[in-house]
Amino acid sequence: MALEHAILVSLLEKPGSGYELARRFERSIGYFWTASHQQIYRVLKRMESDGWVEVRDVAQYGRPDKKEYSVAGRGRDALSAWLNEPTEPESVRHDLAVKVRGAAFDDPTALISQVERHRQAHTDRLTHYLAGETRDFGDPPPDGRLDAERELQHAVLRGGIAYERMMIAWLDDVLATLARLDTGR
Amino acid sequence: MALEHAILVSLLEKPGSGYELARRFERSIGYFWTASHQQIYRVLKRMESDGWVEVRDVAQYGRPDKKEYSVAGRGRDALSAWLNEPTEPESVRHDLAVKVRGAAFDDPTALISQVERHRQAHTDRLTHYLAGETRDFGDPPPDGRLDAERELQHAVLRGGIAYERMMIAWLDDVLATLARLDTGR
DNA sequence: TACATCATGTAAGGCGTTACATGATTCA
DNA sequence: TGAATCATGTAACGCCTTACATGATGTA
């Protein structure tokens, strides 16, 4: 999997500029695939020269002009090829898990505040996801039809919600373990 | 967070060679921080020249000789400094989530087999974790005391178990969504 | 006038992946 | 004899992060 594919999906959902894509990668898409604006501008250039996307200069009033990108035929083909190619589950990276195991060789109690900070971050994200769910999926679609784009976006959001809930529960478990070590049971 | 810190934790738990570390990164530590043997050898060299680890040549019978690494004083200090430095939650990367959203622009039904493959991979891992839990934490420690290293390792393993369970449940949710789109409810 | 936001980039360096390479020992 | 496992590396290339850079417009 590459950043290209995430950009293609985002541009198919809605065309936009590099700047707008960068903003989307701070929310929405960015919750399961991150990228900085530097990466995005570089990759967009390559995608343009490969004919995956098309650019259109858009003059704006009260704002700097922008380049609006949209997916070209070759980009659609590339996405389709990637979608049908099997991929392995991504490797997980949890620095906090390394810290928890490392704390046994330092001061376990000192880790409590950090675990609490992470817990807060995950609670904030959960709140944000739940608000987004109510806003975007709270009412049935106006036309009543089953919209694949909408249903699949919702399924991904439910994944984010499940992930945050799991993390909060696990961090509580870690906090309880640290407390037990502190008091000696 | 860097690979160095994960290596320090692993070597504190038990000294070993680069090869042995690479094997541990395929299991245990590798479930929340991955690394290839090429990376490990390169980083070990740097850690040695920085005085973070010490090397000892170990002659073996019936096997090639190996270099056994253990953590030096400076390595312990480096780990301690990192443990006490606040870190942000790692960014998540789920290619399957990108595919799920991308499937709306291709053939959603074609994704079913891939989701099932991922589900199988997560089920296998869960089975493996649960077996490890019974093996390593099934009985109370022989001396009955509260061992920080053991308790924290167990807490991290419980995190892995919770993660796999959450993923399996979410993949079932995605499969149900894809089926609904296929039959048109 | 100063700060925030919109908008787009370059450059350096480190991290990670893929491919290539070597050689010993054990077991079928 | 051949395959698997143990053991240790080098090299090339690409991805990602961090830092630096510029300039327009809107708002307090």
Side-chain angles (χ1 to χ4, degrees):
Chain A
M1 156 87 194
L3 178 53
E4 278 88 334
H5 303 119
I7 290 179
L8 286 172
V9 172
S10 192
L11 288 180
L12 281 169
E13 289 177 350
K14 191 171 162 50
S17 67
Y19 185 84
E20 282 162 353
L21 281 169
R23 304 227 59 200
R24 290 183 211 171
F25 275 87
E26 285 169 10
R27 40 175 94 233
S28 167
I29 272 258
Y31 295 139
F32 43 86
W33 203 270
T34 52
S36 61
H37 77 275
Q38 292 91 334
Q39 272 177 276
I40 290 167
Y41 283 120
R42 185 161 20 113
V43 171
L44 273 176
K45 282 255 164 87
R46 188 172 56 223
M47 291 170 79
E48 190 193 341
S49 70
D50 290 347
W52 288 22
V53 292
E54 279 157 8
V55 203
R56 197 168 62 93
D57 281 310
V58 176
Q60 296 188 116
Y61 302 94
R63 288 181 172 193
D65 297 348
K66 66 173 182 178
K67 298 181 186 173
E68 192 179 77
Y69 291 87
S70 53
V71 177
R74 276 194 214 170
R76 251 177 191 278
D77 294 344
L79 180 69
S80 183
W82 173 68
L83 284 172
N84 291 291
E85 159 194 315
T87 43
E88 294 309 306
E90 296 284 329
S91 53
V92 183
R93 304 217 136 178
H94 282 301
D95 70 336
L96 198 64
V98 180
K99 283 198 176 183
V100 169
R101 271 170 78 149
F105 306 98
D106 201 67
D107 177 14
T109 313
L111 205 64
I112 291 174
S113 64
Q114 290 204 49
V115 178
E116 279 167 348
R117 267 191 48 257
H118 278 245
R119 193 192 186 285
Q120 186 60 51
H122 286 285
T123 312
D124 291 347
R125 265 202 222 165
L126 176 61
T127 306
H128 184 237
Y129 286 1
L130 290 172
E133 189 179 33
T134 305
R135 177 175 22 84
D136 298 331
F137 307 105
D139 304 305
D143 55 5
R145 282 196 305 109
L146 202 61
D147 176 12
E149 192 180 329
R150 179 188 157 93
E151 292 299 319
L152 293 172
Q153 279 185 10
H154 192 186
V156 169
L157 179 58
R158 287 196 300 272
I161 291 169
Y163 177 77
E164 299 306 330
R165 287 197 166 128
M166 182 278 298
M167 282 301 290
I168 292 165
W170 178 62
L171 292 170
D172 283 338
D173 179 4
V174 171
L175 285 170
T177 307
L178 290 171
R180 231 183 317 130
L181 290 173
D182 194 29
T183 62
R185 182 153 325 237
Chain B
M1 157 85 193
L3 179 53
E4 278 87 333
H5 303 118
I7 289 178
L8 286 172
V9 172
S10 192
L11 288 179
L12 281 168
E13 289 178 349
K14 191 169 161 54
S17 66
Y19 184 83
E20 282 163 353
L21 281 170
R23 304 228 57 199
R24 290 183 211 170
F25 274 87
E26 285 170 9
R27 35 173 99 235
S28 170
I29 273 255
Y31 296 140
F32 43 88
W33 203 268
T34 51
S36 63
H37 77 275
Q38 292 91 334
Q39 270 177 278
I40 291 167
Y41 283 121
R42 195 178 352 143
V43 171
L44 274 176
K45 282 257 163 83
R46 187 172 58 222
M47 291 171 80
E48 190 193 341
S49 71
D50 290 347
W52 287 22
V53 292
E54 281 158 7
V55 202
R56 198 168 62 92
D57 282 308
V58 176
Q60 295 188 118
Y61 302 95
R63 286 179 176 195
D65 297 349
K66 65 173 183 180
K67 298 183 187 174
E68 193 180 77
Y69 290 87
S70 53
V71 178
R74 275 195 215 168
R76 252 179 190 278
D77 294 345
L79 180 69
S80 183
W82 173 68
L83 284 172
N84 292 291
E85 158 195 315
T87 43
E88 294 310 306
E90 296 283 330
S91 53
V92 183
R93 304 215 137 179
H94 283 300
D95 69 337
L96 198 63
V98 180
K99 283 197 175 183
V100 169
R101 270 170 78 150
F105 305 98
D106 201 66
D107 176 15
T109 314
L111 205 65
I112 292 175
S113 65
Q114 290 203 51
V115 177
E116 279 168 347
R117 268 190 48 253
H118 278 246
R119 193 192 186 283
Q120 186 60 51
H122 286 285
T123 311
D124 291 348
R125 266 202 220 165
L126 176 60
T127 306
H128 185 237
Y129 285 2
L130 290 172
E133 188 178 35
T134 306
R135 177 174 23 83
D136 298 333
F137 307 105
D139 306 306
D143 56 5
R145 281 195 304 108
L146 203 61
D147 176 12
E149 192 179 328
R150 180 189 157 90
E151 292 299 319
L152 293 172
Q153 279 184 11
H154 192 185
V156 170
L157 180 57
R158 287 196 300 272
I161 290 168
Y163 178 76
E164 300 305 331
R165 287 196 166 131
M166 181 278 297
M167 282 300 290
I168 292 165
W170 177 63
L171 292 171
D172 283 336
D173 179 3
V174 171
L175 285 171
T177 306
L178 290 171
R180 228 181 322 128
L181 289 173
D182 194 28
T183 63
R185 182 155 326 238

